Amino acid sequence: MEKDIKAENNPRLENLRNIGIIAHIDAGKTTTTERILFVTGKVYKIGTVDEGTAVMDWMVQEQERGITITSASTTCFWKNRNINIIDTPGHVDFTVEVERSLKVLDGAVVVFCAVGGVQPQSETVWRQADKYKVPRIAFVNKMDRTGANFFKVLEEIESRLAANPLPLQIPIGAESNFKGIVDLITMKALMFKEDGKNVDIEITDIPEDIKPTASKYRHDLIEKLGEVDEHVMDRYINEKGIYPHEIIDFVRKATIAGKITPVLCGASAKNKGVPPLLDAITNYLPSPLDIPPIDGTNPDTDEKIVRKVSENEKFAGLIFKIKTDPFVGKLAYLRVYSGKIETGSYVYNSTKGIRERVGKLLKMHANKQEIISEGLAGDIIAVVGLRGTTTGDTICDEDSPIVLETMHFPEPVISMAIEPKTKADQERLGMALNRLEEEDPTFVVGYNKETGQTIISGMGELHLEIIIDRMMREFNVAANVDKPQVAYKETILKHSRAEGKFIQQSGGRGQYGHVVLDITPGARGTGITFESKIIGGAIPREYFSSVKEGVFKAAENGYLAGYPVADIDVKLVDGSYHEVDSSDIAFQMAGSIAFNEGLRTGGSILLEPIMNLEVITPENYMGEVIGDVNSRRAKIESITDKANLKVIKCLAPLSEMFGYATIIRSLTQGRATYTMEPSFYQEVPRNIGEKIIEASGRGAGSRVK
Ligand code: GDP
């Protein structure tokens, strides 16, 4: 298969890199990205994160042009190769965000701080990249800082990330004496020449004092490559020399195969080490041709389809992010997997089953938007004009529909009431929620009929925290928020048949609606389904949708504690009507009444979200972690080893997991990492359910039986 793809011999694709830069907060992701854009000549002024003006000027200008480097994808060129840098989220705990960027990038640079080393978030990111098999390069940044220690970070990458780091460089000096880098492939020194402003690189022989260390690491490099590639071993044993370009090839192969992680060093803020990092990105990270072709299914036949990365294939692409640009409006970021997309053409959104017109195509550079006429296989571009398309959708040629393996977005499990402080805030809130909802498929805005409050729902505490923070900072909304609450649901345990009558016939025109519903438990995750089984005209056809509407309205707030009702199949089986008094409203009311009655007699129960929790901890904290999750009603699924770490997988009810980030930090002194995501809904144990019902103010006594 691989040969077949390569046979196309497409230099544009061979020279293309779609990468992400990921890091623990503060390790230098932003600075490194900026310097890459500077070095590649697209940004002419260097922005400095700390020293306000330069970067502020630049950011303001950027905003005037309607783009910042936080664009979901930025393109730049290095030695005739094209690099698309895909923005990865700052908060890595939020797995869905990470998932969607990892899905569309082919390789990544993981930035570490030379002082902080492998920090908790670098561990989380690393594991997610492992899960998606993303080849990566490690960049040990901040070599100029007091306490910088390249070799300690190397050791941590190996022990804490269970990775196979392959240093391709070693630093010459460190801290304020960070003078250069030994390139272990060419065995030359790259010495930094500073003139106060710019940093040039002078290639020299390796300084005497560092020669022994350099030789040792060079020896290790070849040996390690030999362990993963027998061709190298052969050369090594037979003492044949290896040319630098051959080493580069071997390193490239081993990196793409996920066998090793090349490690480089530098100090982005001081402009040190960035050009060699760019060389490494283009030399070692995969091109779109190096990754397996994408698969999908034909939405009409369910047949599996594989699409090669080729301009000659039919068009298919994945929308991985929607962002609102103040100037052009809604931008849909697209990874083109096969074929090409053209301005002015029509594409088919196979996820939603709609036809969309491609208004404009844009290539995002750091400081400008370039209008392009077509987007080709492998590339990442932005599309303007897709009205009904949201994140995760596939767009494709109309005549060859395909749904690409989509990103999986779990249902929101946590909710919070939000109230704007002033009338002006109210307006801004509405706008902010609209935008945020459009950008983020896992964020849902609702309304509680009973309290009149706006309810926002998401995937976890941190998710909502981030959204509220954005609302305040980006949209300037002042609002009071309640504590987050578990998004419980209600369902029934057994089949019931329920009757609902809404009849008022005292003088004048009355009301008459009468229905009989069959209510059965449905499969988990199916919501409410409605079907009419009426034959023979017990109720005129025109009222079927009224009954349905009544059922869905009643399902918004269930009978037990006001939570939405789910996973029930409703069938309208019988009823009666009145020539004059029957109306849409009367049948809606009758539908609601019957549904509520069905919930009561169907043995309503509450469901709670169960989270998939994975904790990775050093062994000496395992006891504490297990003891703690056990006290939270969690069920341990497995405990496995990963290098010298323990991986504990469990299923835990969300209601017991509030504040877990803080808890796990204090239990393990910050050494454990965890990921948590919604998995499924499950019946709430009876005693707990009773408390929830009591707390909702609908305790048994107050419920009308
Ligand atoms: P991010 O959170 O990973 O995007 O990190 P930033 O790029 O915002 O950097 C965090 C802080 O580290 C800022 O104050 C930077 O100026 C500083 N920083 C970044 N790179 C370096 C470096 O190479 N050396 C030193 N000394 N500081 C750096």
Side-chain angles (χ1 to χ4, degrees), residues 23-32 49-50 141-142 144-145 267-270:
H24 182 91
I25 288 165
D26 264 5
K29 178 185 121 174
T30 312
T31 312
T32 306
V49 180
D50 318 284
N141 186 35
K142 302 198 187 183
D144 61 313
R145 269 189 64 192
S268 298
K270 299 282 178 335

Side-chain angles (χ1 to χ4, degrees), residues 280-296:
I281 289 170
T282 52
N283 282 340
Y284 309 123
L285 291 179
S287 82
L289 293 173
D290 295 310
I291 56 160
I294 185 115
D295 18 279

